[in-house]
Amino acid sequence: MMKNTKTWFAAGLVAMTMTVAACGNNASEPASGSDAADAGNTSVKLLEGWFSKGEDGGYFAALQQDYYKESGIDMTIQPGGPEVSAMQLVASGKADFGISYADEILKAREQGIPVVGILAGFQYTPQVLIYHKGEEINGFEDLDDKTVYMGTAVPYWEYIKNKYELSTVQEMKYTGQLVNFINDKNALNQGYITNEPYVLAQQGVDVDVLKIADSGYANYADVLFTTEDYIKKHPEVVKAVVQASQKGWSYYLDNYKTVNPLIQTYNPDVTLEALDYEAEHQKEFISTDETTTNGIGFMTNERWTELLEQMLDAKGLSKEQDVSKAFTTEFLAKP
Amino acid sequence: MKKEGVNVSEQASRLLNKIMPPLVVFILFVGGWELIVRLIGTPAYILPKPSDIAQSAVNNWSNLVSSVSTTIVEALIGFALSVVLGIGTAIILALSKTVEKSVYPYAIILQTIPVVAVAPIIVIWFGAGINAIVIISFLISFFPILSNTLIGLNSTDQNTKNLFYLYNAGKLQTIWKLRFPAALPYIMAGLKISCSSAVVGAIVGEYIAGIGGGKGGLGYGITVAANRLQTPYLFACGLAASLLGIVFFLIINYFSNKLLQSWHESAMK
């Protein structure tokens, strides 16, 4: 009797162990993919910050136009999700490259996650606060007594509240729905200049925007990043990916209509018209005097330092750090 | 002949009596909804008309089908895992009071940890996408099956257990021949709870561990629709999710009745 019991128990344990092991094996698949660095093309995975959109258009252009392939890179672009953190997945090796913001990189580094920005898709953030057209709002100083729908722990919002000493602004959690904003004339809502004005106009709601970039917040947006470890081990791969991405961004700026159908296959619920609108309205944030002189994706120590100081002032960060380790321009091609 | 005619007519009549009341309520509700929204002139992004919802489902049919089928796959795998591991674990716990007392508290702990809090860890271990979503769906579905099965296995009639003992039945034999069949009503109850939880779990998983695009499931569809003020499509996704849960439940209920109808009061006609 006892013998039978032990046999059953052992069998159960083995079954459960095998199940867990099976899951574990699956999890290690991406890692083995990126180990194919020697023979032919190198497989790499790029994880987007959200669902696929024109904000990552340069990477899709490089994929479509075979710039990655020509550089010996077998690129997989994986869409992000509403709550999936590219930072964590790149740090844990599930993806080789990710897309995020300069301020998120500084936050991650303060937490001990050794990520490095290698290309800034956007020289300035296309994030905005939208408000109803006709409302008397001329700048961020006019936000007191307004209601602002905002996500959680958003660095630029902490900066704006701090800089403009906003004390009576009413903060509400932005849940991804715009209906609350529509129903409240006194409300502002976080958004992207490339998305919310278009979406709301489709519903007959006219809005104006305050550009976060106009607040002086020094953030770079849609920054391509990887880990210190990956750079150390695969500098040639990083260079190839960065320079192919630069070419992709150049291509996308003028030829987005060619690339957007590809992006739509990654995000089928979004229309081509919306993607085209996005591509058109984001140009001013990507292509600047700085990028004309130094190349698309360029970053400066001054900007990163300024951003660090701004975040420290706003208590978004709690200690100094060496920004020269947070980014590098060594892989960027000169124009 | 006449009797047969009466029987057919009687059956049809009975079926009609069963279906008609909820059908009438449904028509009144939907009709009223459509009429009131039309009269008030509420914009579609505040409250869409049933016709708006139907239209958006038709317009986005291929995307809707793609999202639904992805969610179905994830929910089914999560549910299957929870059935196998839930029943298996319950059997192991039921073999020994000591093991049950030692392990069961951790099942309760597992159940009470908010899945949102552990989702980032799940994503790191299993990767974002279907793997993580299946795990989350499983976590949400596992405990009702474990708990119900364990209660069932421990509720076997003492007299029949004594009878097995007198016949020198082994512990495993007793489990297989007596305790497990006797636990079926409880197991079926657990399955009914978990099958709709698996669908909800899959969609919750798609929110917190899912990625965009064709493999994003209904969670992806809901997120994009909300973000883009496509409220009719948002409702279409929500109703599709509800319908999915109902279908799952009806299937489990059917199997439950099949297994129990010959001997258990809850399923006898």
Side-chain angles (χ1 to χ4, degrees):
Chain A
M1 189 176 294
M2 283 304 295
K3 195 174 183 180
N4 284 342
T5 302
K6 284 181 178 175
T7 302
W8 245 99
F9 189 75
L13 278 182
V14 169
M16 285 198 289
T17 304
M18 284 167 63
T19 304
V20 173
C23 294
N25 288 342
N26 211 346
S28 67
E29 234 172 78
S32 64
S34 57
D35 286 343
D38 301 317
N41 285 3
T42 302
S43 293
V44 305
K45 180 189 274 193
L46 167 64
L47 183 59
E48 295 183 83
W50 210 66
F51 300 152
S52 303
K53 49 179 178 167
E55 230 172 273
D56 302 330
Y59 308 104
F60 285 102
L63 183 65
Q64 184 193 57
Q65 300 298 312
D66 286 341
Y67 298 153
Y68 290 126
K69 192 175 292 184
E70 289 161 6
S71 304
I73 301 296
D74 183 6
M75 171 64 77
T76 299
I77 299 181
Q78 176 175 311
E83 300 287 334
V84 169
S85 165
M87 208 66 69
Q88 279 175 311
L89 287 173
V90 170
S92 62
K94 288 290 191 297
D96 307 301
F97 298 88
I99 296 174
S100 189
Y101 290 80
D103 53 13
E104 296 292 340
I105 288 173
L106 292 179
K107 279 170 73 178
R109 290 186 63 85
E110 185 169 89
Q111 298 302 315
I113 304 176
V115 284
V116 181
I118 52 184
L119 180 158
F122 286 60
Q123 291 292 308
Y124 298 96
T125 178
Q127 289 162 311
V128 296
L129 294 179
I130 55 175
Y131 59 94
H132 292 274
K133 195 177 275 280
E135 288 297 305
E136 200 62 38
I137 297 176
N138 297 301
F140 295 99
E141 59 274 7
D142 295 332
L143 296 188
D144 267 331
D145 296 320
K146 303 292 185 189
T147 304
V148 175
Y149 289 91
M150 184 63 59
T152 308
V154 178
Y156 70 73
W157 178 239
E158 299 305 313
Y159 165 78
I160 287 170
K161 282 192 294 178
N162 182 61
K163 176 176 179 181
Y164 295 94
E165 294 173 5
L166 303 176
S167 56
T168 56
V169 63
Q170 181 106 312
E171 287 178 65
M172 305 290 282
K173 166 79 183 212
Y174 174 56
T175 60
Q177 288 258 16
L178 289 165
V179 173
N180 293 322
F181 165 76
I182 291 170
N183 283 330
D184 182 354
K185 290 299 178 197
N186 200 45
L188 295 92
N189 204 101
Q190 74 169 61
Y192 286 76
I193 198 164
T194 51
N195 182 55
E196 276 77 10
Y198 174 84
V199 164
L200 287 159
Q202 298 256 288
Q203 304 294 345
V205 181
D206 279 331
V207 298
D208 268 318
V209 304
L210 291 176
K211 294 176 183 174
I212 302 305
D214 288 344
S215 71
Y217 191 54
N219 207 15
Y220 290 104
D222 284 79
V223 177
L224 181 68
F225 71 90
T226 183
T227 60
E228 291 174 354
D229 187 61
Y230 194 89
I231 290 174
K232 193 171 175 185
K233 288 176 175 168
H234 309 286
E236 305 82 10
V237 174
V238 175
K239 182 173 183 177
V241 167
V242 166
Q243 298 196 357
S245 300
Q246 284 181 288
K247 285 181 67 181
W249 271 116
S250 290
Y251 184 86
Y252 189 73
L253 283 170
D254 297 321
N255 304 284
Y256 58 83
K257 283 184 186 292
T258 301
V259 184
N260 282 348
L262 172 64
I263 297 178
Q264 196 191 37
T265 65
Y266 284 73
N267 192 356
D269 279 4
V270 170
T271 65
L272 282 178
E273 291 74 29
L275 290 170
D276 288 348
Y277 178 97
E278 180 176 16
E280 194 58 44
H281 285 78
Q282 70 188 12
K283 285 186 179 181
E284 61 173 298
F285 301 94
I286 300 167
S287 192
T288 66
D289 291 340
E290 181 87 85
T291 61
T292 302
T293 305
N294 296 294
I296 283 182
F298 189 71
M299 297 171 281
T300 70
N301 195 282
E302 290 71 27
R303 279 279 299 277
W304 280 87
T305 303
E306 185 182 4
L307 177 64
L308 173 68
E309 295 304 320
Q310 288 171 341
M311 293 181 75
L312 287 168
D313 281 349
K315 304 292 192 290
L317 292 174
S318 55
K319 57 198 179 199
E320 291 279 348
Q321 55 178 279
D322 183 357
V323 299
S324 68
K325 290 188 165 59
F327 80 101
T328 179
T329 55
E330 72 174 286
F331 303 105
L332 293 165
K334 296 293 182 278
Chain B
M1 198 61 149
K2 193 174 182 182
K3 273 191 175 179
E4 284 175 10
V6 170
N7 282 343
V8 169
S9 159
E10 187 177 328
Q11 277 181 10
S13 174
R14 191 181 301 144
L15 188 65
L16 210 59
N17 283 338
K18 190 174 179 182
I19 292 180
M20 192 59 69
L23 190 60
V24 169
V25 171
F26 178 78
I27 291 173
L28 287 178
F29 176 72
V30 172
W33 178 356
E34 179 84 21
L35 195 61
I36 291 172
V37 173
R38 278 179 187 273
L39 287 177
I40 296 180
T42 309
Y45 57 80
I46 300 293
L47 180 62
K49 301 186 289 290
S51 57
D52 293 329
I53 297 170
Q55 187 64 50
S56 74
V58 170
N59 289 346
N60 297 284
W61 185 250
S62 66
N63 286 349
L64 184 58
V65 167
S66 174
S67 291
V68 169
S69 51
T70 297
T71 301
I72 288 173
V73 169
E74 288 158 352
L76 277 177
I77 297 175
F79 179 66
L81 267 180
S82 62
V83 170
V84 172
L85 293 181
I87 294 177
T89 304
I91 289 173
I92 291 167
L93 298 192
L95 284 167
S96 161
K97 246 346 178 200
T98 303
V99 173
E100 178 183 341
K101 285 175 181 172
S102 303
V103 173
Y104 196 64
Y106 296 103
I108 296 173
I109 290 172
L110 187 72
Q111 170 71 357
T112 53
I113 294 174
V115 75
V116 174
V118 296
I121 295 172
I122 293 171
V123 168
I124 289 174
W125 283 348
F126 300 103
I130 191 165
N131 291 348
I133 294 163
V134 165
I135 296 297
I136 289 166
S137 181
F138 157 75
L139 286 176
I140 288 177
S141 310
F142 169 78
F143 187 77
I145 293 177
L146 171 68
S147 185
N148 278 275
T149 304
L150 193 54
I151 291 171
L153 292 171
N154 287 334
S155 302
T156 313
D157 179 72
Q158 192 61 42
N159 288 329
T160 50
K161 278 162 76 174
N162 289 342
L163 183 63
F164 270 62
Y165 181 75
L166 285 176
Y167 286 168
N168 289 322
K171 213 161 194 176
L172 218 59
Q173 203 172 11
T174 304
I175 289 272
W176 183 244
K177 293 283 189 176
L178 171 64
R179 294 176 72 183
F180 188 82
L184 268 185
Y186 297 84
I187 296 173
M188 287 303 149
L191 262 53
K192 288 176 188 177
I193 296 169
S194 288
C195 63
S196 48
S197 295
V199 176
V200 173
I203 295 172
V204 168
E206 284 157 1
Y207 265 113
I208 59 189
I211 58 179
K215 288 300 168 191
L218 284 168
Y220 154 79
I222 288 169
T223 305
V224 173
N227 186 253
R228 307 198 65 86
L229 278 173
Q230 293 161 351
T231 310
Y233 187 62
L234 178 63
F235 271 64
C237 290
L239 290 173
S242 176
L243 194 61
L244 198 56
I246 290 168
V247 169
F248 268 43
F249 178 84
L250 289 179
I251 290 171
I252 295 296
N253 199 51
Y254 172 82
F255 278 110
S256 175
N257 283 335
K258 276 289 180 192
L259 287 170
L260 303 179
Q261 69 184 355
S262 64
W263 65 275
H264 197 264
E265 296 99 298
S266 68
M268 283 175 131
K269 305 275 163 97

